[in-house]
């Protein structure tokens, strides 16, 4: 049976892919939208791989030349504005018997070709309005009853003929029907009114994707069942596990493929929980999470968020509450954010709820980066000469760390946070330059020449790759190291005993030359108490090697590596998160921090790994 499954899976993967993912390139209006389309395609491709569905990825130009002959279903993850040639090719594909799954399309011609009609774009206010998809009796079989997704905007699609129908509608957070179509079906395929987000409820999203693909091309059920069985087999190591696996494999032999998938989902969860039980948490281990939104899991209800984290064994919360451009607390130094005005002081609310739940709170302070600043504030800082300058003379939306007013702003904010709130730590981030070729402003030139005693005759060429390049890189790193010293002194002066930490680049020591970030010096000189290197990777060997290298430069007891559960550079399944936690424990490190606090972490990662996290 095992050999048959393996050979079948190999044969299926080597045949022409029945599913094509069309990556939005020419159909997107700008770089930001192309990046979004690329991210959506990666997500869908990862889920198809997890499901055991062979697929091929094409860009818009390739699709415009014609989809491969073996393709039965084309998936448009985010291709809003189709070029004429691509629309024509997709119509030809439909006429030839091919089927489409379209997400968040904006092309009325394609909708018409599928017997559908585009509605008007609709957007939410501060919070997402569309929170859950509920499938109707008109939907195909094997779909979940509901799928959770927090969509801020939609473009609804309606039936345009008698053979089309709405198969799912949106609901709000409380489960009230909103009436807007979430999914609409026709004989030519399915159309969703938004993209498929990676914001939690992944098992149901995968189930939804497989059920829709299987409805359009039924042989995909066998692909998925046989390949999933082969994927799971190496993890089956006990007698009871082999018995359960054999029972599921017998269902596959009977052609009951949808039952195989359902049973495998449960079986894999049980295998992971059993493995997690074999790796219980260590005493005094720091198990942290970064919260980028500063709102927790339930905006306006920190008690609920703190309760969820505590119940799952989390000990420390890193709250992103301050940037140079805004504060989510009652700041007298930084502009107060819309979040503050709508939900109130997030540091105060989080600190009180966390204290009651037994969590430690570290206020996460972003330094220098103006991404969160208003356009008006950024423009004022640019005019005042306080922003960084690259090697071409272009202004960057980053404060220059050599400008005294910028340093004063950062230190005042850190002092304010540490002095006003009963928090356990201040957590520094973005204490670096945005790139290797910055900053070359006038303030940097004056400070470098004064400190080094050397004059750059050709600025900035002499300090980029000329005779003063090494001296400038050392000066640039030393400047940031001195800022960290002053920031730590400010925090500890305002609240004795507070812990000072930093989120740092994992690729040490190369980040010294590239970003000016010599974080080993910060630790080894006692300026910070611990560092959280962002070791975001999906490859376990790379993760181990990064961590081992870091341990060669700093004491291991001061390292709490970051694990990129849902980072831009990595998206980890629960089993991969457990792999990385186990690797850190094998190196005797004192803890870790998970990125980031969101629906994926709440509903997937933490429950799956609870025995490895909660004492």
């Amino acid at each position: 049976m095992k050999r048959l499954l393996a050979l079948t899976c190999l044969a299926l993967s080597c045949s022409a892919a029945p599913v094509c993912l069309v990556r939005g390139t020419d159909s997107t209006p700008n770089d930001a939208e192309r990046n979004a389309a690329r991210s959506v395609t990666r997500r869908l491709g990862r889920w198809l791989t997890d499901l055991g569905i062979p697929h091929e990825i094409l860009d818009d130009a390739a699709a415009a030349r014609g989809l491969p002959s073996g393709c039965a279903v084309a998936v448009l993850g985010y291709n809003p504005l189709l070029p004429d040639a691509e629309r024509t090719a997709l119509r030809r594909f439909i006429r030839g018997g091919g089927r489409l799954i379209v997400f968040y399309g904006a092309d009325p011609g394609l909708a018409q070709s599928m017997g559908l009609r585009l509605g008007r774009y609709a957007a939410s206010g501060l919070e997402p309005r569309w929170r859950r998809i509920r499938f109707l009796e008109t939907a195909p079989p094997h779909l979940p009853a509901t799928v959770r997704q927090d969509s801020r905007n939609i473009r609804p699609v309606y039936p345009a003929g008698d053979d089309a129908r709405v198969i799912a509608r949106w609901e709000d957070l409380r489960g009230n029907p909103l009436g807007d179509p979430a999914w609409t079906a026709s004989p030519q395929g399915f159309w969703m009114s938004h993209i498929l987000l990676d914001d939690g409820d992944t098992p149901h999203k995968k189930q939804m994707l497989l059920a829709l693909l299987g409805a359009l091309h039924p042989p995909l059920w066998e692909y998925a069942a046989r390949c999933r069985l082969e994927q799971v087999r190496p993890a089956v190591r006990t007698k009871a596990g082999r018995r359960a696996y054999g029972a599921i494999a017998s269902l596959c032999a009977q052609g009951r493929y949808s039952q195989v998938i359902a049973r495998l989902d449960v079986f894999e969860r049980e295998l992971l929980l059993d493995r997690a039980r074999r790796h219980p948490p260590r005493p005094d281990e720091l198990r942290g999470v970064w919260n980028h939104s500063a709102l927790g899991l339930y905006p306006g209800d920190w008690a609920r968020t703190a309760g969820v984290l505590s119940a799952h064994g989390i000990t420390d919360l890193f709250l992103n509450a301050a940037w140079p451009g805004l504060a989510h607390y009652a700041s007298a130094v930084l502009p107060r954010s819309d979040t503050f005005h709508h939900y109130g002081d997030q540091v105060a609310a989080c600190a009180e709820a966390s204290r009651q739940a037994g969590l430690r709170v570290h206020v996460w302070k972003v330094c220098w980066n103006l991404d969160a600043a208003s356009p008006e504030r950024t423009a004022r800082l640019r005019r005042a000469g306080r922003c960084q300058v690259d090697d071409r003379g272009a202004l960057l939306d980053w404060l220059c760390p050599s400008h005294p007013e910028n340093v004063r702003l950062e230190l005042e904010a850190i002092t304010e946070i540490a002095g006003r709130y009963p928090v356990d730590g201040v957590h520094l981030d973005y204490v670096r330059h945005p790139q290797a070729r910055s900053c070359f402003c006038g303030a940097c030139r004056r400070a470098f020449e004064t400190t080094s005693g050397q004059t750059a005759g050709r600025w900035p060429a002499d300090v980029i790759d000329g005779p003063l390049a090494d001296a400038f890189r050392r000066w640039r790193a030393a400047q940031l190291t001195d800022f960290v010293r002053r920031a730590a002194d400010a925090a500890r002066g305002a609240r004795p005993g507070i812990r000072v930490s930093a989120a740092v680049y994992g690729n040490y020591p190369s980040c010294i030359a590239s970003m000016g970030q010599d974080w080993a010096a910060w630790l080894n000189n006692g300026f910070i108490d611990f560092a959280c290197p962002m070791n975001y990777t999906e490859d376990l060997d790379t993760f181990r090697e990064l961590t081992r290298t870091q341990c060669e430069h700093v004491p291991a007891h001061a390292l709490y590596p970051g694990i990129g559960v849902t980072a831009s550079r990595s998206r980890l399944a629960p089993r991969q998160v457990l792999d990385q936690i186990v690797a850190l424990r094998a190196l005797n490190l004192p803890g870790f921090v998970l990125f980031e606090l969101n629906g994926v972490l709440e509903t997937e990662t933490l429950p799956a790994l609870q025995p490895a996290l909660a004492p």
Side-chain angles (χ1 to χ4, degrees):
M1 175 66 76
K2 293 177 182 177
R3 179 172 173 79
L4 176 60
L5 285 170
L7 291 173
T8 303
C9 193
L10 177 63
L12 292 172
S13 65
C14 292
S15 61
V19 175
C20 286
L21 284 177
V22 183
R23 182 176 55 239
T25 48
D26 299 340
S27 62
T28 54
N30 52 51
D31 288 343
E33 296 296 290
R34 274 185 286 281
N35 288 336
R38 188 180 304 114
S39 176
V40 168
T41 303
R42 280 200 304 268
R43 180 182 315 144
L44 293 173
R46 183 175 65 247
W47 289 347
L48 289 178
T49 298
D50 292 344
L51 289 166
I53 300 294
H55 60 280
E56 180 178 351
I57 297 177
L58 310 173
D59 62 16
D60 285 321
R65 292 191 292 270
L67 293 166
S69 59
C71 177
V73 184
V75 179
L76 279 63
Y78 182 52
N79 311 67
L81 304 170
L82 295 174
D84 291 344
E86 186 172 9
R87 188 186 310 107
T88 299
L90 291 173
R91 285 172 171 164
R92 187 166 57 247
F93 175 69
I94 292 171
R95 287 196 300 270
R99 296 294 176 257
L100 301 180
I101 296 180
V102 180
F103 294 91
Y104 205 31
D107 191 292
L110 183 64
Q112 184 180 32
S113 299
M114 294 180 65
L116 306 174
R117 173 178 59 84
L118 275 181
R120 291 185 177 181
Y121 170 84
S124 305
L126 186 63
E127 293 185 30
R129 179 183 177 192
W130 298 276
R131 308 297 287 268
R132 186 183 293 115
I133 297 167
R134 180 170 296 278
F135 283 95
L136 310 176
E137 292 182 357
T138 54
H142 310 305
L143 285 157
T146 63
V147 175
R148 171 183 162 182
Q149 171 159 307
D150 294 344
S151 290
R152 292 184 175 274
N153 40 66
I154 64 170
R155 187 181 294 276
V157 178
Y158 301 93
D162 294 338
D163 56 356
R165 65 198 188 280
V166 173
I167 62 169
R169 294 193 184 276
W170 288 103
E171 295 179 346
D172 67 13
L173 185 59
R174 295 177 178 83
N176 299 315
L178 297 174
D180 300 307
W183 280 99
T184 309
S186 76
Q188 289 75 35
F190 301 105
W191 193 303
M192 184 177 169
S193 55
H194 198 214
I195 61 173
L196 203 52
L197 299 174
D198 189 8
D199 62 349
D201 206 12
T202 306
H204 282 154
K205 287 176 179 173
K206 289 181 182 178
Q207 180 186 350
M208 175 177 70
L209 192 59
L210 177 57
L212 295 174
L213 285 166
L216 297 177
H217 188 59
L220 288 174
W221 284 106
E222 182 178 0
Y223 279 80
R226 294 190 181 278
C227 290
R228 281 283 304 283
L229 274 168
E230 185 61 21
Q231 290 169 356
V232 171
R233 185 175 61 81
V236 182
R237 297 174 181 174
T238 66
K239 185 175 182 180
R242 286 191 290 271
R243 194 162 48 243
Y245 181 86
I248 298 172
S250 69
L251 292 174
C252 191
Q254 299 167 37
R256 297 159 68 180
Y257 303 123
S258 63
Q259 293 182 44
V260 171
I261 299 297
R263 292 277 294 274
L264 280 174
D265 289 340
V266 175
F267 185 56
E268 283 191 281
R269 288 196 296 270
E270 292 172 346
L271 287 175
L272 183 58
L273 278 171
D274 182 63
R275 182 168 174 243
R277 292 185 191 100
R278 299 197 299 272
H279 297 282
R282 293 182 170 184
D284 301 322
E285 183 178 61
L286 185 151
R287 296 177 294 277
V289 296
W290 278 296
N291 178 211
H292 195 272
S293 72
L295 285 168
L297 294 167
Y298 305 96
D301 191 350
W302 266 109
R304 187 178 178 189
T305 293
V308 168
L309 295 178
S310 179
H312 287 90
I314 298 302
T315 63
D316 290 68
L317 175 62
F318 295 78
L319 183 76
N320 185 9
W323 297 61
L326 60 78
H328 298 312
Y329 65 93
S331 177
V333 175
L334 302 169
R336 300 179 183 185
S337 67
D338 290 342
T339 293
F340 168 82
H341 291 297
H342 188 79
Y343 293 107
D345 190 318
Q346 294 306 290
V347 176
C350 175
E352 175 59 22
S354 297
R355 182 189 65 80
Q356 294 187 22
L359 298 174
R360 293 182 291 260
V361 174
H362 308 254
V363 177
W364 173 2
K365 173 66 180 76
V366 171
C367 302
W368 318 126
N369 188 324
L370 292 173
D371 279 355
S374 68
E376 295 77 17
R377 181 174 175 82
T378 301
R380 285 196 302 272
L381 292 166
R382 281 173 162 241
R383 289 195 298 270
R386 292 174 58 176
C387 289
Q388 294 195 30
V389 176
D390 70 11
D391 58 320
R392 297 170 299 174
L395 286 172
L396 305 175
D397 289 337
W398 280 61
L399 293 178
C400 174
S402 69
H403 197 294
E405 288 300 315
N406 295 339
V407 175
R408 184 178 298 112
L409 174 71
E410 298 289 12
L411 295 179
E412 287 178 355
I414 291 166
T415 302
E416 176 182 62
I417 291 165
R420 181 177 297 178
Y421 298 97
V423 294
D424 301 276
V426 169
H427 183 63
L428 306 176
D429 195 8
Y430 285 88
V431 183
R432 59 177 177 84
H433 287 267
Q435 57 187 31
R437 296 191 172 228
S438 67
C439 171
F440 305 108
C441 70
C444 280
R445 181 175 189 175
R446 290 188 296 272
F448 167 69
E449 291 181 344
T450 299
T451 303
S452 67
Q454 302 180 80
T455 301
R458 299 177 304 124
W459 183 268
D462 281 357
V463 298
I464 293 175
D465 51 17
L468 302 181
D470 288 342
F472 182 76
R473 282 193 286 270
R474 288 193 298 272
W475 169 82
R476 191 171 73 142
Q479 178 188 48
L480 289 175
T481 297
D482 186 62
F483 167 75
V484 171
R485 176 188 63 79
R486 296 176 66 184
D489 287 346
R492 292 168 181 148
R495 184 168 297 278
I498 197 170
R499 302 192 79 192
V500 181
S501 61
V504 296
Y505 265 61
N507 56 337
Y508 190 88
S510 64
C511 59
I512 302 174
S514 60
M515 302 294 180
Q517 191 178 75
D518 189 0
W519 57 264
W522 309 349
L523 268 176
N524 293 330
N525 285 290
F527 301 153
I528 61 175
D529 296 291
F530 63 90
C532 303
M534 298 174 285
N535 295 350
Y536 301 161
T537 175
E538 296 175 2
D539 184 78
L540 183 58
D541 289 336
T542 300
F543 182 83
R544 287 195 184 104
E545 185 58 33
L546 278 171
T547 308
R548 288 195 190 101
T549 300
Q550 292 154 6
C551 290
E552 294 172 0
H553 297 280
V554 298
H557 67 77
L559 277 181
Y560 299 81
I563 296 176
V565 182
T566 52
S568 60
R569 299 193 299 275
S570 60
R571 172 60 166 91
L572 305 179
R575 61 175 175 77
Q576 294 173 292
V577 178
L578 181 59
D579 288 341
Q580 296 191 5
I581 291 172
V582 171
L584 295 179
R585 289 173 179 167
L587 293 170
N588 292 315
L589 294 190
F592 51 87
V593 186
L594 304 175
F595 186 89
E596 67 168 323
L597 183 60
N598 55 23
V600 172
L601 198 76
E602 179 195 12
T603 63
E604 299 170 28
T605 311
L606 296 182
L609 303 184
Q610 181 151 357
L613 300 174

